[in-house]
Amino acid sequence: MARVAIDPITRIEGHLRVEIEVDSGVVKDAWVSGGLYRGMETVLQGRAPADAFYIAQRICGVCPISHGHASTMGSEAALGIKIPNNARIVRNIIEGAEFLHSHVLWFYTLTALDYVDVVSALSANIADTYALAEKAGTTTADFGAIQKRLAGFVKGGQLSIFTNGYWGHPAMKLPAELNLIAVAHYLEALQIQAQAAEIIAIMGGKFPHFMTSIPGGTSWVASEQRLADVLFRWQGVSDFITNTMIPDTLAIAPFYLEAAGYGKGVGNFLAWGVFDDVSMDPKKRVMPRGALTGLTPFDPKPEEVTEFIKHSWYDSGDNLNPAKGETKADFTTYDLNGKYSWVKAPRLNGKPMEVGPLARMLVAYVDGVAPVKALVDGALGALSKAAGKKLPPTVLVSLLGRVAARNLEAKVIADAMGGWIGEMVAAVKGGDSKYFVEATQSDGQGAGLWEAPRGALGHWVNVSGGKIANYQVVTPSTWDCSPRDDAGVRGPMEEALVGTPIADPTKPLEALRIVHSFDP
Amino acid sequence: MQGLDARLSLAGVSRREFLAFCGAAATALGLGISGAPAVADALQRGPRLTPAIWLNLGSCTGCTESLAQSGTPDIATIVLDMLSLDYMETLGAAAGTQAESALDDTLRRGGHLAIVEGAVMTGEAGNTLRIAGTTGDALLERVCRDAALVIAVGSCAADGGWVRARPNPAGATGVLQHLPQLEPRLVNLPTCPVNPEWVVAVLSGHLLGLPLPPLDDLRRPLTFFGQTIHDNCPRRGHFANGEFVERFGSLEESLGWCLYDMGCKGPVTRTDCPRVRWNRGVSWCVESGSPCIGCGSPDWVDAGAPFLSRTNAVRPGIAGLRPEVAGEVVAAGAAGAFAIWGVVETARGRLRDTMDSGETDRTDHEEPSGTLKNG
């Protein structure tokens, strides 16, 4: 029995500590602790709803668009504002660009180093690398030059961000040539994520932290020239996802098929849904609203969300719905039997829920959303071939499925985004010049229930006399990284860690894979 | 390994690209393009990459994200070829004990750069930020003690940023406020997030062995923070003409008119956003139709909110410029035109008072650049 603490968890947004109990090479128990409290909800009290849009998005520098939108939607719900159709389309495109930015950055920059041995790429045979890329149907690069760049870098003895990585770890399974392909695409992805972010900058001023999705609509006005600037960047990002990211995923997955056997988590899934169509019905969003226990769907009710704090460093009401939620910091000590995290424990009808691309893709799959069904069935077919047996959709409830779902979702969103740009062009050509409506009331309560790339996001806003009377946020990582609840039930990431094989407890790479699969 | 030149060839960077970078760096540092050879010489001197530690304190990771949006050099060049970023939580391959040992090794060798993102969290005896069994403020102190240079990136590191906004529930503050002894070797680069081009320029200056650039009393480089947004705003002509956007998403916005009435903090915000722009130069806040919210100003949330209302604090023109800074700027010859333009505008009565809605300006049109249709 060995107790292993991983702190800091790197390649995430924020500050996270994970403790695992390892016995006979398998994780028997796990605790996830959030290390940072800033007090956003308290800062927002008494401010104007529009100010909340600018401030609240700064909860997260990787997904500020989602927080900005959830904040604005919360204010709009509270004040009874119905936004013009143009604003809906503009928000979809900006949100979509953030999802593509985030998913590309996550796969290549954040989690790839858990699977790709950068040092091993030095021993790749260049001719074989080209042959492998062709066989995998993925894009090529100047593999020789990249290997030379890497060699010079390693010879120099200063590995910078690659210092002390898990090179040569027994859980690294890729052949040298595939490692080199992945390193080449790691570098290319750095350009692609920036290209996706440029779309946000064009329509929102800058990224991270954008300026235009204020309550009432958008302050950005479309023109054909600006839409052309957006279109060509979307095309580049979309091509990368289709021709590089998806083939890379399917090339790497066969070497890690055992990851379909663990990392299952709590098996309950929640999606508030994201990307509205013209009906503005959350169930008809491109990634629709829904919840699952196993693969059985049910309607998630926002009023059934409560947050527990028995194991979190707060001294405020327990088991409260966010509409009436409280946040009062009270650090005691780090105690795994008592309080051990700055993250609260949200539950839906008392149950822990996994949120994120896997939740969204499963909800959409069960709902019969056509492009999702086609992509998931296609990927299952490819993986079944590699495994030599037919794999059912339930195999996705695993580490492998959580990684694959995010990359497949990038393809769904990239394709949908082409449609939104087309809608916007049609609106400009058709002379629809409405982008913004004024609020007509100054009191009310509402919630912006939306999705960040990493999962279901809610901003509950209570406005009184034009000022925010109460504000509560439940982020995706609050759901996924939650500590135990008052009944002692583990959060989704804690539960997913249990059962994970650990080859070397001093280098717990496999546990990092589980943590990163949630993209916290 | 024979210095940067050899590293460049191994990195597949051509001599030409290298010199182009030196030219850009020299210009950004205020040396002018003729400074490029000096930049090249200095960069080729060192046989080792300068070690750097990037700390995330009470942050949203937005400044790291912003660095990843850098134009030339791009993020890969910065973290692989310019610096050895030995500890960086967001991008580092190592986690846990492996990350901590990389940090220990770098601190033992010394001579490192410390780049700090996020507010210093002092609430709950520092426990509002816990990293690797210690508190964020303790880690900050350890990393900065022997750092050759400390760069506080973003408004949170500069003065606590939004995290310090009323009522500051987590006890946030800035790096310099928390460790005043760092002043001689600290540079503040506020805005939320930081503009990556400024980070690259300051890093380049340090790698060149140059003294710190001229700084204002908030330790901000005057090159980037010496003038207001209003001074360089492409919509300035519309301000002079009295052409204002009065409603979001309007025809006036499509014509690119001035956002002053929408609460723009450009007249009191000292950054060069209109020139440096964002995301590899594709746009910036005002160009997207949003008023500036002043995210580079001290205490920006409480000083600027409500963001969409004109405030009495907004006093455009000479009145908003502190004399000592104006002196330096004008002496540097960088913005003589600014001062003259301000005087001319003031004299001609075009500067709008902040106390009323300035109806009279409506009659003072001069060469309107767009025509209102259907309006």
Side-chain angles (χ1 to χ4, degrees):
Chain A
M1 197 77 98
R3 180 64 71 87
V4 180
I6 317 173
D7 186 3
I9 295 279
T10 52
R11 287 179 275 127
I12 61 165
E13 192 293 293
H15 298 277
L16 204 64
R17 171 191 177 93
V18 166
E19 262 191 76
I20 49 175
E21 189 88 35
V22 182
D23 190 16
S24 314
V26 176
V27 176
K28 296 294 179 197
D29 207 346
W31 297 263
V32 174
S33 168
L36 174 64
Y37 165 76
R38 290 168 296 171
M40 173 62 86
E41 292 147 325
T42 309
V43 165
L44 292 173
Q45 310 286 332
R47 298 185 190 270
D51 289 345
F53 158 72
Y54 295 109
I55 303 169
Q57 59 176 293
R58 286 164 162 88
I59 288 172
C60 175
V62 183
C63 50
I65 309 304
S66 313
H67 280 281
H69 282 154
S71 175
T72 280
M73 291 164 69
S75 293
E76 286 165 350
L79 301 177
I81 298 171
K82 303 251 179 287
I83 60 168
N85 193 43
N86 283 345
R88 169 189 69 84
I89 305 169
V90 168
R91 290 182 188 180
N92 275 358
I93 299 171
I94 297 180
E95 186 76 50
E98 181 201 71
F99 269 66
L100 301 187
H101 160 91
S102 182
H103 285 5
V104 167
L105 191 75
W106 172 79
F107 183 58
Y108 287 101
T109 315
L110 302 184
T111 205
L113 301 180
D114 296 334
Y115 302 90
V116 173
D117 188 328
V118 174
V119 175
S120 143
L122 288 175
S123 48
N125 175 291
I126 299 302
D128 291 351
T129 306
Y130 280 103
L132 180 61
E134 190 173 340
K135 183 160 162 267
T138 192
T139 48
T140 58
D142 189 343
F143 294 126
I146 288 163
Q147 194 182 46
K148 213 171 139 202
R149 182 179 187 185
L150 200 59
F153 181 69
V154 171
K155 251 192 274 170
Q158 289 177 286
L159 288 188
S160 191
I161 53 171
F162 300 133
T163 305
N164 289 1
Y166 301 91
W167 324 129
H169 192 285
M172 291 284 194
K173 304 283 192 196
L174 301 185
E177 287 74 21
L178 194 46
N179 282 320
L180 180 56
I181 291 172
V183 169
H185 294 163
Y186 173 97
L187 295 171
E188 192 180 346
L190 288 171
Q191 296 298 322
I192 296 297
Q193 59 82 21
Q195 201 172 341
E198 284 173 15
I199 295 175
I200 303 168
I202 291 166
M203 302 174 74
K206 62 180 170 62
F207 179 87
H209 305 326
F210 75 130
M211 304 295 289
T212 49
S213 293
I214 32 148
T218 171
S219 65
W220 185 76
V221 175
S223 69
E224 288 187 52
Q225 176 57 50
R226 283 166 165 182
L227 288 172
D229 293 343
V230 167
L231 185 71
F232 107 84
R233 287 174 173 84
W234 163 75
Q235 191 69 59
V237 175
S238 182
D239 285 352
F240 178 84
I241 288 165
T242 304
N243 301 324
T244 305
M245 186 162 157
I246 297 293
D248 283 357
T249 308
L250 295 176
I252 291 170
F255 293 93
Y256 291 105
L257 281 178
E258 102 285 350
Y262 55 89
K264 294 181 188 321
V266 294
N268 309 314
F269 299 95
L270 168 67
W272 293 131
V274 62
F275 306 119
D276 275 308
D277 78 351
V278 71
S279 73
M280 300 295 280
D281 177 352
K283 286 187 180 171
K284 291 185 180 162
R285 288 174 175 169
V286 171
M287 299 307 291
R289 180 168 297 181
L292 301 169
T293 297
L295 290 185
T296 309
F298 68 96
D299 278 342
K301 296 191 176 62
E303 58 276 16
E304 289 179 352
V305 174
T306 60
E307 292 189 291
F308 293 96
I309 58 154
K310 183 177 171 188
H311 294 286
S312 316
W313 291 306
Y314 297 99
D315 175 24
S316 36
D318 194 26
N319 196 19
L320 297 178
N321 180 260
K324 301 206 179 324
E326 299 169 7
T327 304
K328 191 169 170 290
D330 183 27
F331 180 82
T332 44
T333 180
Y334 178 81
D335 173 10
L336 295 181
N337 296 313
K339 290 177 182 283
Y340 63 92
S341 181
W342 282 116
V343 178
K344 293 180 184 177
R347 298 292 185 260
L348 180 70
N349 207 2
K351 292 194 175 59
M353 307 298 289
E354 174 174 343
V355 301
L358 178 59
R360 287 192 294 262
M361 290 294 276
L362 288 175
V363 164
Y365 185 84
V366 170
D367 204 22
V369 174
V372 171
K373 217 166 166 331
L375 259 179
V376 169
D377 286 341
L380 282 173
L383 291 176
S384 296
K385 215 170 132 198
K389 60 176 178 186
K390 191 165 163 38
L391 300 174
T394 46
V395 82
L396 292 173
V397 184
S398 64
L399 169 61
L400 185 76
R402 200 174 292 113
V403 172
R406 185 170 279 105
N407 294 4
L408 294 174
E409 187 190 57
K411 168 77 177 145
V412 175
I413 294 168
D415 291 348
M417 209 163 143
W420 303 324
I421 298 171
E423 277 186 85
M424 199 67 242
V425 171
V428 169
K429 288 192 166 158
D432 184 351
S433 59
K434 200 156 187 206
Y435 290 86
F436 180 77
V437 293
E438 301 280 353
T440 53
Q441 64 191 63
S442 55
D443 297 277
Q445 190 168 333
L449 302 174
W450 193 240
E451 297 277 326
R454 45 208 51 68
L457 168 65
H459 283 227
W460 277 260
V461 186
N462 186 349
V463 184
S464 174
K467 297 260 169 73
I468 289 165
N470 198 21
Y471 202 106
Q472 288 285 312
V473 180
V474 182
T475 68
S477 294
T478 315
W479 286 103
D480 285 338
C481 305
S482 95
R484 283 148 171 78
D485 57 31
D486 290 12
V489 177
R490 294 185 195 99
M493 186 185 287
E494 293 181 335
E495 188 62 36
L497 281 160
V498 175
T500 300
I502 301 287
D504 176 0
T506 66
K507 289 181 177 168
L509 174 62
E510 302 91 329
L512 283 176
R513 288 177 181 165
I514 298 285
V515 171
H516 288 149
S517 72
F518 288 90
D519 188 17
Chain B
M1 294 297 293
Q2 298 296 316
L4 186 106
D5 208 23
R7 278 204 311 274
L8 284 173
S9 81
L10 281 166
V13 176
S14 72
R15 188 81 196 158
R16 188 189 162 89
E17 287 169 312
F18 173 62
L19 288 174
F21 166 69
C22 294
T27 309
L29 290 164
L31 301 174
I33 192 71
S34 60
V39 172
D41 281 353
L43 278 177
Q44 290 172 91
R45 225 172 284 141
R48 278 181 70 81
L49 296 174
T50 299
I53 294 165
W54 184 295
L55 277 189
N56 279 84
L57 300 179
S59 81
C60 71
T61 315
C63 291
T64 300
E65 265 276 9
S66 194
L67 189 78
Q69 314 309 319
S70 165
T72 308
D74 66 7
I75 178 75
T77 309
I78 297 168
V79 304
L80 301 180
D81 302 333
M82 272 177 80
L83 297 172
S84 186
L85 210 36
D86 297 341
Y87 180 90
M88 183 186 203
E89 288 185 36
T90 315
L91 296 180
T97 50
Q98 282 78 36
E100 287 186 90
S101 92
L103 176 69
D104 293 344
D105 290 346
T106 303
L107 290 179
R108 202 175 306 120
R109 284 194 295 263
H112 59 281
L113 274 170
I115 306 169
V116 185
E117 167 179 4
V120 185
M121 307 303 295
T122 67
E124 307 289 316
N127 284 292
T128 40
L129 174 57
R130 296 170 56 82
I131 303 172
T134 182
T135 58
D137 55 351
L139 182 62
L140 173 75
E141 215 167 325
R142 197 174 143 228
V143 166
C144 290
R145 196 179 302 135
D146 298 319
L149 175 68
V150 179
I151 309 176
V153 296
S155 292
C156 294
D159 77 347
W162 75 258
V163 193
R164 206 197 55 172
R166 265 193 320 265
N168 191 4
T173 188
V175 175
L176 187 56
Q177 289 89 333
H178 189 66
L179 300 172
Q181 67 273 26
L182 295 178
E183 178 155 353
R185 51 196 167 101
L186 177 139
V187 173
N188 276 322
L189 296 176
T191 66
C192 185
V194 71
N195 191 306
E197 312 303 334
W198 302 330
V199 182
V200 169
V202 172
L203 283 175
S204 303
H206 178 74
L207 298 181
L208 287 166
L210 295 177
L212 288 178
L215 304 172
D216 68 9
D217 52 0
L218 298 172
R219 307 291 295 170
R220 304 179 298 184
L222 276 168
T223 320
F224 315 127
F225 297 89
Q227 287 181 278
T228 68
I229 283 185
H230 192 62
D231 293 335
N232 296 299
C233 186
R235 298 190 178 198
R236 178 66 178 262
H238 297 291
F239 175 84
N241 291 344
E243 293 165 347
F244 296 95
V245 175
E246 310 239 308
R247 193 165 178 279
F248 285 122
S250 61
L251 187 62
E252 289 80 357
E253 169 48 40
S254 72
L255 295 170
W257 285 8
C258 175
L259 289 158
Y260 180 57
D261 277 346
M262 305 307 291
C264 188
K265 306 294 180 280
V268 290
T269 304
R270 311 187 147 272
T271 74
D272 69 349
C273 293
R275 291 193 297 201
V276 67
R277 299 160 66 87
W278 289 80
N279 296 84
R280 313 200 279 193
V282 299
S283 191
W284 67 293
C285 302
V286 167
E287 187 167 310
S288 73
S290 169
C292 165
I293 57 172
C295 71
S297 293
D299 199 17
W300 73 270
V301 168
D302 289 330
F307 297 117
L308 302 183
S309 302
R310 282 174 52 187
T311 65
N312 289 338
V314 177
R315 293 189 185 282
I318 291 295
L321 186 67
R322 285 166 304 156
E324 72 279 14
V325 177
E328 280 171 84
V329 169
V330 174
F338 152 77
I340 295 162
W341 180 231
V343 169
V344 168
E345 280 193 326
T346 308
R348 294 177 67 176
R350 291 213 171 94
L351 281 183
R352 294 151 58 84
D353 193 282
T354 56
M355 304 307 286
D356 61 57
S357 63
E359 289 298 319
T360 53
D361 291 346
R362 291 295 174 276
T363 59
D364 199 7
H365 284 215
E366 180 185 84
E367 296 178 51
S369 67
T371 311
L372 276 179
K373 290 175 200 149
N374 313 318

